[in-house]
Amino acid sequence: HRPWGWFETVSEVPGNKIKRIGVLPGQQISMQKHHRRAEHWVVVAGVAHVTLDDREFELLAGGHCDIAVEQVHRLANHTNQLVEIVEVQFGDYLGEDDIVRLQDDYGRR
């Protein structure tokens, strides 16, 4: 569990990790990037507000987006219902310490 919601790892093999991520109403993950992994997000519930570099857009259930290595991104929930996504990570290193937080509402680095 995190201040913004939760995540669970569904599957992990070398070069690939799959997570379920839930973002609580009114919360958001940190503005971040990764040096060694790319991600693919698929919204399974709610309305996700996505930031990719200087673009912002909303994705409904079934919507998806790709996040390249080093691309600045954020997932936010501007609604009063849970947002849930499936995140597929690809790369040679998939550790949580590959998160470079550029802005965080909860004071994490």
Coordinates of all heavy atoms in Angstrom, one line a residue, residues 11-102:
S11 N 2.8 -11.0 -11.9 CA 3.7 -11.9 -12.5 C 5.1 -11.2 -12.7 O 5.1 -10.0 -13.0 CB 3.2 -12.4 -13.9 OG 4.1 -13.1 -14.6
E12 N 6.1 -12.0 -12.6 CA 7.5 -11.4 -12.8 C 8.4 -12.5 -13.4 O 8.5 -13.6 -12.7 CB 8.1 -10.8 -11.6 CG 9.4 -10.1 -11.8 CD 9.9 -9.3 -10.6 OE1 9.2 -9.4 -9.6 OE2 10.9 -8.6 -10.8
V13 N 9.0 -12.2 -14.5 CA 10.0 -13.1 -15.1 C 11.1 -12.2 -15.6 O 10.8 -11.0 -15.8 CB 9.4 -14.0 -16.3 CG1 8.3 -14.9 -15.8 CG2 8.8 -13.1 -17.4
P14 N 12.2 -12.7 -16.0 CA 13.3 -11.8 -16.4 C 12.8 -11.0 -17.6 O 12.3 -11.5 -18.6 CB 14.4 -12.8 -16.8 CG 14.2 -13.9 -15.9 CD 12.7 -14.1 -15.8
G15 N 13.0 -9.6 -17.5 CA 12.6 -8.7 -18.6 C 11.2 -8.3 -18.6 O 10.8 -7.4 -19.5
N16 N 10.3 -8.8 -17.7 CA 8.9 -8.5 -17.8 C 8.3 -8.6 -16.4 O 8.5 -9.6 -15.7 CB 8.2 -9.4 -18.8 CG 6.7 -9.3 -18.8 OD1 6.0 -10.0 -18.1 ND2 6.3 -8.3 -19.6
K17 N 7.5 -7.6 -16.0 CA 6.7 -7.6 -14.8 C 5.3 -7.1 -15.0 O 5.2 -6.1 -15.8 CB 7.4 -6.8 -13.7 CG 6.7 -6.8 -12.3 CD 7.3 -5.8 -11.4 CE 8.7 -6.2 -10.9 NZ 9.1 -5.2 -9.8
I18 N 4.3 -7.7 -14.4 CA 2.9 -7.3 -14.6 C 2.4 -6.9 -13.2 O 2.5 -7.7 -12.3 CB 2.1 -8.4 -15.2 CG1 2.6 -8.7 -16.6 CG2 0.6 -7.9 -15.3 CD1 1.9 -9.9 -17.2
K19 N 1.8 -5.7 -13.1 CA 1.2 -5.2 -11.8 C -0.2 -4.8 -12.0 O -0.6 -4.3 -13.1 CB 2.0 -4.0 -11.3 CG 3.4 -4.2 -10.8 CD 3.9 -2.8 -10.4 CE 5.2 -2.9 -9.8 NZ 5.7 -1.5 -9.4
R20 N -1.0 -4.9 -11.0 CA -2.3 -4.3 -10.9 C -2.1 -3.1 -10.0 O -1.4 -3.2 -8.9 CB -3.3 -5.2 -10.2 CG -3.8 -6.3 -11.1 CD -4.8 -7.2 -10.4 NE -5.9 -6.4 -9.9 CZ -6.5 -6.6 -8.7 NH1 -6.0 -7.5 -7.9 NH2 -7.5 -5.8 -8.3
I21 N -2.6 -1.9 -10.4 CA -2.4 -0.7 -9.6 C -3.7 0.0 -9.4 O -4.5 0.1 -10.3 CB -1.4 0.3 -10.4 CG1 -0.1 -0.4 -10.6 CG2 -1.3 1.6 -9.7 CD1 0.9 0.4 -11.4
G22 N -4.0 0.4 -8.2 CA -5.2 1.1 -7.8 C -4.9 2.5 -7.3 O -4.0 2.6 -6.4
V23 N -5.5 3.5 -7.9 CA -5.3 4.9 -7.4 C -6.6 5.4 -6.8 O -7.6 5.4 -7.5 CB -4.8 5.8 -8.6 CG1 -4.6 7.2 -8.1 CG2 -3.5 5.3 -9.2
L24 N -6.5 5.8 -5.6 CA -7.7 6.2 -4.8 C -8.2 7.6 -5.4 O -7.5 8.3 -6.0 CB -7.3 6.4 -3.3 CG -6.9 5.1 -2.6 CD1 -6.3 5.4 -1.3 CD2 -8.0 4.1 -2.5
P25 N -9.5 7.8 -5.1 CA -10.1 9.1 -5.6 C -9.3 10.3 -5.1 O -8.9 10.4 -3.9 CB -11.5 9.1 -5.0 CG -11.8 7.6 -4.9 CD -10.5 7.0 -4.5
G26 N -9.0 11.2 -6.0 CA -8.3 12.4 -5.7 C -6.8 12.3 -5.5 O -6.2 13.3 -5.1
Q27 N -6.3 11.1 -5.7 CA -4.8 10.9 -5.5 C -4.1 10.7 -6.8 O -4.7 10.6 -7.9 CB -4.6 9.7 -4.7 CG -5.3 9.7 -3.3 CD -4.8 10.9 -2.5 OE1 -3.6 11.0 -2.3 NE2 -5.7 11.7 -1.9
Q28 N -2.8 10.7 -6.8 CA -1.9 10.5 -8.0 C -0.6 10.0 -7.5 O -0.1 10.2 -6.4 CB -1.8 11.8 -8.7 CG -1.1 12.9 -7.9 CD -1.1 14.3 -8.7 OE1 -1.6 14.3 -9.8 NE2 -0.6 15.3 -8.1
I29 N 0.1 9.2 -8.5 CA 1.4 8.8 -8.2 C 2.4 9.9 -8.5 O 2.0 11.0 -9.0 CB 1.8 7.6 -9.1 CG1 1.8 7.9 -10.6 CG2 0.8 6.4 -8.9 CD1 2.4 6.8 -11.5
S30 N 3.6 9.8 -8.2 CA 4.6 10.8 -8.4 C 4.8 11.0 -9.9 O 4.6 10.1 -10.7 CB 5.9 10.5 -7.7 OG 6.4 9.3 -8.2
M31 N 5.2 12.3 -10.3 CA 5.7 12.6 -11.6 C 7.0 11.9 -11.7 O 7.9 12.2 -10.8 CB 5.8 14.1 -11.9 CG 6.2 14.4 -13.3 SD 4.8 14.2 -14.4 CE 3.8 15.6 -14.0
Q32 N 7.2 11.0 -12.6 CA 8.4 10.1 -12.6 C 8.9 9.7 -14.0 O 8.2 10.0 -15.0 CB 8.1 8.9 -11.7 CG 7.0 8.0 -12.3 CD 6.6 6.9 -11.3 OE1 6.9 5.8 -11.7 NE2 6.1 7.2 -10.2
K33 N 10.1 9.1 -14.0 CA 10.6 8.4 -15.2 C 11.4 7.3 -14.7 O 11.7 7.1 -13.5 CB 11.4 9.4 -16.0 CG 12.7 9.9 -15.4 CD 13.4 10.8 -16.3 CE 14.7 11.3 -15.7 NZ 15.5 12.2 -16.6
H34 N 11.8 6.4 -15.7 CA 12.6 5.2 -15.4 C 13.8 5.2 -16.4 O 13.6 5.5 -17.6 CB 11.8 4.0 -15.5 CG 10.5 4.0 -14.7 ND1 10.5 3.9 -13.4 CD2 9.2 4.1 -15.1 CE1 9.2 4.0 -13.0 NE2 8.5 4.1 -14.0
H35 N 15.0 4.9 -15.9 CA 16.1 4.8 -16.7 C 16.2 3.5 -17.5 O 16.8 3.4 -18.6 CB 17.4 4.9 -15.9 CG 17.6 6.2 -15.3 ND1 17.6 7.4 -15.9 CD2 17.8 6.5 -14.0 CE1 17.8 8.4 -15.1 NE2 17.9 7.9 -13.9
R36 N 15.6 2.4 -17.0 CA 15.9 1.1 -17.5 C 14.6 0.3 -17.9 O 14.7 -0.9 -18.3 CB 16.7 0.3 -16.6 CG 18.0 1.0 -16.3 CD 18.9 0.3 -15.3 NE 19.3 -1.1 -15.8 CZ 20.0 -1.9 -15.0 NH1 20.4 -1.5 -13.8 NH2 20.3 -3.1 -15.5
R37 N 13.4 0.9 -17.9 CA 12.3 0.1 -18.2 C 11.2 1.0 -19.0 O 11.2 2.2 -18.8 CB 11.6 -0.5 -17.0 CG 10.8 0.5 -16.1 CD 10.1 -0.3 -15.0 NE 9.3 0.5 -14.2 CZ 9.4 0.5 -12.9 NH1 10.4 -0.2 -12.2 NH2 8.6 1.3 -12.2
A38 N 10.5 0.4 -19.8 CA 9.3 1.0 -20.5 C 8.1 0.3 -19.9 O 8.2 -0.7 -19.2 CB 9.4 0.7 -22.0
E39 N 7.0 1.0 -20.0 CA 5.7 0.5 -19.5 C 4.6 0.6 -20.5 O 4.6 1.5 -21.3 CB 5.4 1.3 -18.2 CG 6.4 1.1 -17.1 CD 6.1 2.0 -15.9 OE1 5.3 2.9 -16.0 OE2 6.7 1.7 -14.8
H40 N 3.6 -0.3 -20.3 CA 2.3 -0.2 -21.0 C 1.2 -0.2 -20.0 O 1.2 -1.1 -19.1 CB 2.2 -1.4 -22.0 CG 1.0 -1.4 -22.8 ND1 0.7 -0.6 -23.8 CD2 -0.2 -2.2 -22.6 CE1 -0.4 -0.8 -24.3 NE2 -1.0 -1.8 -23.6
W41 N 0.3 0.8 -20.0 CA -0.8 0.8 -19.1 C -2.1 0.5 -19.8 O -2.3 1.1 -20.9 CB -0.9 2.2 -18.5 CG 0.2 2.6 -17.5 CD1 1.1 1.9 -17.0 CD2 0.4 3.9 -17.0 NE1 1.9 2.6 -16.1 CE2 1.5 3.9 -16.1 CE3 -0.2 5.2 -17.2 CZ2 2.0 5.0 -15.5 CZ3 0.3 6.3 -16.5 CH2 1.4 6.2 -15.7
V42 N -2.9 -0.3 -19.2 CA -4.3 -0.6 -19.6 C -5.2 -0.2 -18.5 O -5.1 -0.8 -17.4 CB -4.5 -2.0 -20.1 CG1 -5.9 -2.3 -20.5 CG2 -3.5 -2.4 -21.1
V43 N -6.2 0.6 -18.7 CA -7.2 1.0 -17.7 C -8.2 -0.1 -17.7 O -8.8 -0.5 -18.7 CB -7.8 2.4 -18.0 CG1 -8.9 2.7 -16.9 CG2 -6.7 3.4 -18.1
V44 N -8.5 -0.6 -16.4 CA -9.5 -1.7 -16.3 C -10.7 -1.1 -15.5 O -11.8 -1.7 -15.6 CB -9.0 -2.9 -15.6 CG1 -7.9 -3.6 -16.6 CG2 -8.4 -2.7 -14.3
A45 N -10.6 0.0 -14.8 CA -11.8 0.6 -14.1 C -11.5 2.0 -13.9 O -10.4 2.4 -13.6 CB -12.0 -0.2 -12.8
G46 N -12.5 2.8 -14.0 CA -12.5 4.2 -13.7 C -12.0 5.1 -14.9 O -11.9 4.6 -16.0
V47 N -11.7 6.3 -14.6 CA -11.2 7.3 -15.6 C -9.8 7.7 -15.1 O -9.7 8.4 -14.1 CB -12.1 8.5 -15.7 CG1 -11.6 9.5 -16.8 CG2 -13.5 8.0 -16.1
A48 N -8.8 7.3 -15.9 CA -7.4 7.7 -15.5 C -7.0 8.9 -16.2 O -7.2 9.1 -17.4 CB -6.5 6.5 -16.0
H49 N -6.4 9.9 -15.4 CA -5.8 11.1 -16.0 C -4.3 10.8 -16.1 O -3.6 10.5 -15.2 CB -6.1 12.3 -15.1 CG -5.6 13.5 -15.7 ND1 -6.4 14.3 -16.5 CD2 -4.4 14.2 -15.6 CE1 -5.8 15.4 -16.9 NE2 -4.5 15.3 -16.3
V50 N -3.8 10.9 -17.4 CA -2.4 10.5 -17.7 C -1.6 11.7 -18.1 O -2.1 12.5 -18.9 CB -2.4 9.4 -18.8 CG1 -1.0 9.0 -19.2 CG2 -3.2 8.2 -18.3
T51 N -0.4 11.8 -17.6 CA 0.5 12.8 -18.1 C 1.7 12.1 -18.7 O 2.3 11.2 -18.1 CB 1.0 13.7 -16.9 OG1 -0.1 14.4 -16.3 CG2 2.0 14.8 -17.4
L52 N 2.0 12.4 -20.0 CA 3.2 11.9 -20.7 C 3.9 13.1 -21.2 O 3.4 13.8 -22.1 CB 2.8 10.9 -21.8 CG 2.1 9.6 -21.5 CD1 1.8 8.8 -22.7 CD2 3.0 8.8 -20.6
D53 N 5.1 13.3 -20.7 CA 5.9 14.5 -21.0 C 5.0 15.8 -20.8 O 4.5 16.0 -19.7 CB 6.5 14.4 -22.4 CG 7.5 13.3 -22.5 OD1 8.3 13.1 -21.5 OD2 7.6 12.6 -23.5
D54 N 4.7 16.5 -21.9 CA 3.9 17.7 -21.8 C 2.5 17.5 -22.2 O 1.7 18.5 -22.3 CB 4.5 18.9 -22.5 CG 4.7 18.6 -24.0 OD1 4.5 17.4 -24.4 OD2 5.1 19.5 -24.8
R55 N 2.0 16.3 -22.4 CA 0.7 16.0 -22.8 C -0.1 15.5 -21.6 O 0.4 14.7 -20.8 CB 0.6 14.9 -23.9 CG 1.2 15.3 -25.2 CD 1.1 14.2 -26.3 NE 0.4 13.1 -25.7 CZ 0.4 11.8 -26.2 NH1 1.2 11.5 -27.2 NH2 -0.2 10.8 -25.6
E56 N -1.4 15.8 -21.6 CA -2.3 15.3 -20.6 C -3.6 14.8 -21.3 O -4.1 15.5 -22.2 CB -2.6 16.3 -19.5 CG -1.5 16.7 -18.6 CD -1.9 17.7 -17.5 OE1 -2.9 17.4 -16.9 OE2 -1.1 18.6 -17.2
F57 N -4.1 13.7 -20.8 CA -5.3 13.1 -21.4 C -5.9 12.1 -20.5 O -5.3 11.7 -19.5 CB -5.0 12.5 -22.8 CG -3.9 11.4 -22.8 CD1 -4.2 10.1 -22.6 CD2 -2.6 11.8 -22.9 CE1 -3.2 9.1 -22.5 CE2 -1.6 10.8 -22.9 CZ -1.9 9.5 -22.7
E58 N -7.2 11.8 -20.8 CA -7.9 10.8 -20.0 C -8.1 9.5 -20.7 O -8.3 9.5 -22.0 CB -9.3 11.4 -19.5 CG -9.1 12.5 -18.5 CD -10.5 13.0 -18.0 OE1 -11.5 12.7 -18.6 OE2 -10.5 13.6 -16.9
L59 N -8.0 8.4 -20.0 CA -8.3 7.1 -20.6 C -9.4 6.4 -19.8 O -9.4 6.4 -18.6 CB -7.0 6.2 -20.5 CG -5.8 6.6 -21.3 CD1 -4.6 5.7 -21.0 CD2 -6.2 6.5 -22.8
L60 N -10.4 5.9 -20.5 CA -11.5 5.2 -19.9 C -11.1 3.7 -19.9 O -10.1 3.3 -20.5 CB -12.7 5.4 -20.7 CG -13.2 6.8 -21.0 CD1 -14.4 6.9 -21.9 CD2 -13.4 7.5 -19.7
A61 N -11.9 2.9 -19.2 CA -11.7 1.4 -19.2 C -11.5 0.9 -20.6 O -12.3 1.2 -21.5 CB -12.9 0.7 -18.5
G62 N -10.5 0.1 -20.8 CA -10.1 -0.4 -22.1 C -9.1 0.5 -22.8 O -8.5 0.0 -23.8
G63 N -8.9 1.7 -22.4 CA -7.9 2.6 -23.0 C -6.5 2.2 -22.5 O -6.3 1.6 -21.5
H64 N -5.5 2.5 -23.3 CA -4.2 2.2 -23.0 C -3.2 3.2 -23.5 O -3.5 4.0 -24.4 CB -3.9 0.8 -23.5 CG -4.1 0.7 -25.0 ND1 -3.1 0.9 -25.9 CD2 -5.2 0.4 -25.7 CE1 -3.5 0.7 -27.2 NE2 -4.8 0.4 -27.1
C65 N -2.0 3.1 -23.0 CA -0.9 4.0 -23.5 C 0.5 3.3 -23.3 O 0.6 2.4 -22.4 CB -0.9 5.4 -22.8 SG -0.6 5.4 -21.1
D66 N 1.5 3.8 -24.0 CA 2.8 3.3 -23.9 C 3.7 4.4 -23.3 O 3.6 5.5 -23.7 CB 3.4 2.9 -25.2 CG 2.7 1.6 -25.8 OD1 2.7 0.6 -25.0 OD2 2.2 1.7 -26.9
I67 N 4.6 4.0 -22.4 CA 5.5 4.9 -21.8 C 7.0 4.4 -22.1 O 7.3 3.3 -21.7 CB 5.3 4.9 -20.3 CG1 3.9 5.3 -20.0 CG2 6.3 5.8 -19.6 CD1 3.4 5.0 -18.6
A68 N 7.7 5.2 -22.8 CA 9.1 4.8 -23.2 C 10.0 5.0 -22.0 O 9.8 5.7 -21.1 CB 9.5 5.7 -24.4
V69 N 11.2 4.3 -22.1 CA 12.3 4.5 -21.2 C 12.6 6.0 -21.2 O 12.6 6.7 -22.2 CB 13.5 3.7 -21.6 CG1 14.7 4.0 -20.7 CG2 13.2 2.2 -21.6
E70 N 12.8 6.6 -20.0 CA 13.1 8.0 -19.8 C 11.9 9.0 -20.0 O 12.1 10.2 -19.8 CB 14.3 8.5 -20.6 CG 15.6 7.8 -20.3 CD 16.2 8.2 -18.9 OE1 15.9 9.2 -18.4 OE2 17.1 7.4 -18.4
Q71 N 10.8 8.5 -20.4 CA 9.6 9.4 -20.6 C 9.0 9.8 -19.3 O 8.7 8.9 -18.4 CB 8.6 8.7 -21.5 CG 7.5 9.7 -21.9 CD 6.6 9.1 -23.0 OE1 6.4 7.9 -23.1 NE2 6.1 10.0 -23.8
V72 N 8.8 11.1 -19.1 CA 8.2 11.6 -17.8 C 6.7 11.2 -17.9 O 6.0 11.4 -18.9 CB 8.4 13.1 -17.7 CG1 7.6 13.6 -16.5 CG2 9.9 13.4 -17.6
H73 N 6.2 10.7 -16.7 CA 4.8 10.2 -16.7 C 4.2 10.3 -15.3 O 4.9 10.3 -14.3 CB 4.6 8.8 -17.3 CG 5.4 7.8 -16.5 ND1 6.8 7.6 -16.7 CD2 5.0 6.9 -15.6 CE1 7.2 6.7 -15.9 NE2 6.2 6.2 -15.2
R74 N 2.9 10.4 -15.3 CA 2.1 10.4 -14.0 C 0.7 9.8 -14.3 O 0.1 10.0 -15.3 CB 2.0 11.8 -13.5 CG 1.0 11.9 -12.3 CD 0.9 13.3 -11.7 NE 1.9 13.3 -10.7 CZ 2.3 14.4 -10.1 NH1 1.8 15.6 -10.5 NH2 3.1 14.4 -9.1
L75 N 0.2 9.1 -13.3 CA -1.2 8.5 -13.3 C -1.9 9.2 -12.2 O -1.4 9.2 -11.0 CB -1.1 7.0 -13.1 CG -2.5 6.3 -13.0 CD1 -3.3 6.5 -14.2 CD2 -2.3 4.9 -12.6
A76 N -3.0 9.8 -12.5 CA -3.8 10.5 -11.5 C -5.3 10.1 -11.6 O -5.8 9.7 -12.6 CB -3.7 12.1 -11.7
N77 N -6.0 10.3 -10.4 CA -7.4 10.0 -10.4 C -8.1 11.3 -9.9 O -8.1 11.7 -8.8 CB -7.7 8.9 -9.4 CG -9.1 8.5 -9.3 OD1 -10.0 9.2 -9.8 ND2 -9.4 7.4 -8.6
H78 N -8.8 12.0 -10.9 CA -9.5 13.2 -10.6 C -11.0 13.0 -10.3 O -11.7 13.9 -10.3 CB -9.3 14.2 -11.7 CG -7.9 14.6 -11.9 ND1 -7.5 15.3 -13.0 CD2 -6.8 14.5 -11.2 CE1 -6.2 15.6 -12.9 NE2 -5.8 15.1 -11.8
T79 N -11.4 11.7 -10.1 CA -12.8 11.4 -9.9 C -13.0 10.9 -8.5 O -12.1 10.9 -7.6 CB -13.2 10.2 -10.9 OG1 -12.6 9.0 -10.4 CG2 -12.8 10.5 -12.3
N80 N -14.2 10.5 -8.2 CA -14.6 10.0 -6.9 C -14.7 8.5 -6.8 O -15.3 7.9 -5.9 CB -15.8 10.7 -6.3 CG -17.0 10.4 -7.2 OD1 -17.0 9.7 -8.2 ND2 -18.2 11.0 -6.8
Q81 N -14.2 7.8 -7.8 CA -14.2 6.3 -7.9 C -12.8 5.8 -8.1 O -11.9 6.5 -8.7 CB -15.1 5.9 -9.1 CG -16.5 6.2 -8.9 CD -17.4 5.7 -10.0 OE1 -16.9 5.0 -10.9 NE2 -18.7 6.0 -9.9
L82 N -12.5 4.6 -7.7 CA -11.2 4.0 -7.8 C -10.8 3.9 -9.3 O -11.6 3.6 -10.2 CB -11.2 2.6 -7.2 CG -9.9 1.8 -7.4 CD1 -8.8 2.4 -6.4 CD2 -10.1 0.4 -7.1
V83 N -9.5 4.2 -9.6 CA -8.9 3.9 -10.9 C -8.1 2.7 -10.8 O -7.2 2.7 -9.9 CB -8.1 5.1 -11.5 CG1 -7.3 4.7 -12.7 CG2 -9.1 6.3 -11.8
E84 N -8.2 1.8 -11.6 CA -7.4 0.6 -11.6 C -6.8 0.3 -13.0 O -7.5 0.4 -14.0 CB -8.2 -0.7 -11.2 CG -7.3 -1.9 -11.0 CD -8.0 -3.1 -10.4 OE1 -9.2 -2.9 -9.9 OE2 -7.5 -4.2 -10.5
I85 N -5.5 0.1 -13.0 CA -4.8 -0.2 -14.3 C -4.0 -1.5 -14.2 O -3.8 -2.0 -13.0 CB -3.9 0.9 -14.7 CG1 -2.6 1.0 -13.8 CG2 -4.6 2.2 -14.8 CD1 -1.5 1.8 -14.4
V86 N -3.7 -2.1 -15.3 CA -2.7 -3.1 -15.4 C -1.5 -2.5 -16.0 O -1.6 -1.9 -17.1 CB -3.2 -4.3 -16.2 CG1 -2.1 -5.3 -16.4 CG2 -4.4 -5.0 -15.5
E87 N -0.4 -2.7 -15.4 CA 0.9 -2.1 -15.9 C 1.8 -3.3 -16.3 O 2.1 -4.2 -15.5 CB 1.6 -1.3 -14.8 CG 3.0 -0.8 -15.2 CD 3.6 0.0 -14.0 OE1 3.3 1.2 -13.9 OE2 4.3 -0.6 -13.2
V88 N 2.3 -3.2 -17.5 CA 3.3 -4.2 -18.0 C 4.6 -3.5 -18.2 O 4.7 -2.5 -18.9 CB 2.8 -4.9 -19.3 CG1 3.8 -5.9 -19.8 CG2 1.4 -5.5 -19.2
Q89 N 5.6 -4.0 -17.5 CA 6.9 -3.4 -17.5 C 7.8 -4.3 -18.4 O 7.8 -5.5 -18.3 CB 7.5 -3.3 -16.1 CG 6.7 -2.5 -15.2 CD 7.3 -2.5 -13.8 OE1 8.3 -3.1 -13.5 NE2 6.7 -1.8 -12.9
F90 N 8.7 -3.6 -19.2 CA 9.7 -4.3 -20.0 C 11.0 -3.6 -19.8 O 11.1 -2.4 -19.8 CB 9.3 -4.1 -21.5 CG 7.9 -4.5 -21.9 CD1 6.9 -3.6 -21.9 CD2 7.7 -5.8 -22.3 CE1 5.6 -4.0 -22.2 CE2 6.4 -6.2 -22.6 CZ 5.4 -5.3 -22.6
G91 N 12.1 -4.4 -19.6 CA 13.4 -3.9 -19.5 C 14.4 -4.9 -18.9 O 14.0 -5.9 -18.4
D92 N 15.6 -4.5 -18.8 CA 16.7 -5.3 -18.3 C 16.7 -5.3 -16.8 O 17.4 -6.1 -16.1 CB 18.0 -5.1 -18.9 CG 18.5 -3.7 -18.6 OD1 17.8 -2.8 -18.1 OD2 19.7 -3.4 -18.9
Y93 N 16.1 -4.3 -16.2 CA 16.0 -4.1 -14.7 C 14.7 -3.5 -14.4 O 14.3 -2.5 -14.9 CB 17.1 -3.2 -14.2 CG 17.1 -3.0 -12.7 CD1 17.5 -4.1 -11.9 CD2 16.6 -1.9 -12.1 CE1 17.5 -3.9 -10.5 CE2 16.5 -1.8 -10.7 CZ 17.0 -2.8 -9.9 OH 16.9 -2.7 -8.6
L94 N 13.9 -4.2 -13.4 CA 12.6 -3.8 -13.1 C 12.4 -3.5 -11.7 O 11.2 -3.5 -11.2 CB 11.6 -4.9 -13.6 CG 11.7 -5.3 -15.0 CD1 10.8 -6.6 -15.3 CD2 11.3 -4.2 -15.9
G95 N 13.4 -3.2 -10.9 CA 13.3 -2.9 -9.5 C 12.6 -1.6 -9.2 O 12.7 -0.6 -10.0
E96 N 12.0 -1.5 -8.0 CA 11.3 -0.2 -7.6 C 12.3 0.9 -7.5 O 11.9 2.1 -7.5 CB 10.6 -0.5 -6.3 CG 9.4 -1.4 -6.5 CD 8.3 -0.8 -7.4 OE1 7.9 0.4 -7.2 OE2 7.9 -1.5 -8.4
D97 N 13.6 0.7 -7.3 CA 14.6 1.7 -7.1 C 15.0 2.4 -8.5 O 15.8 3.3 -8.5 CB 15.8 1.3 -6.3 CG 16.5 0.1 -7.0 OD1 16.0 -0.5 -7.9 OD2 17.6 -0.2 -6.6
D98 N 14.3 2.0 -9.6 CA 14.6 2.6 -10.9 C 13.5 3.8 -11.1 O 13.3 4.2 -12.2 CB 14.5 1.6 -12.0 CG 14.9 2.3 -13.4 OD1 15.7 3.1 -13.4 OD2 14.3 1.9 -14.4
I99 N 12.9 4.2 -10.0 CA 11.9 5.3 -10.1 C 12.7 6.6 -9.8 O 13.3 6.7 -8.7 CB 10.8 5.2 -9.1 CG1 10.0 3.9 -9.4 CG2 9.9 6.4 -9.2 CD1 8.9 3.6 -8.4
V100 N 12.7 7.5 -10.8 CA 13.2 8.9 -10.6 C 12.0 9.8 -10.3 O 11.3 10.1 -11.3 CB 14.1 9.3 -11.8 CG1 14.6 10.7 -11.5 CG2 15.2 8.3 -12.1
R101 N 11.8 10.2 -9.1 CA 10.7 11.0 -8.8 C 11.0 12.5 -9.1 O 11.9 13.0 -8.5 CB 10.2 10.9 -7.3 CG 9.6 9.5 -7.1 CD 9.0 9.4 -5.7 NE 8.3 8.2 -5.6 CZ 8.8 7.1 -5.1 NH1 10.1 7.1 -4.7 NH2 8.1 5.9 -5.0
L102 N 10.3 13.1 -9.9 CA 10.5 14.5 -10.3 C 9.6 15.5 -9.5 O 10.0 16.6 -9.3 CB 10.2 14.7 -11.8 CG 11.0 13.8 -12.7 CD1 10.6 13.9 -14.1 CD2 12.5 14.1 -12.6

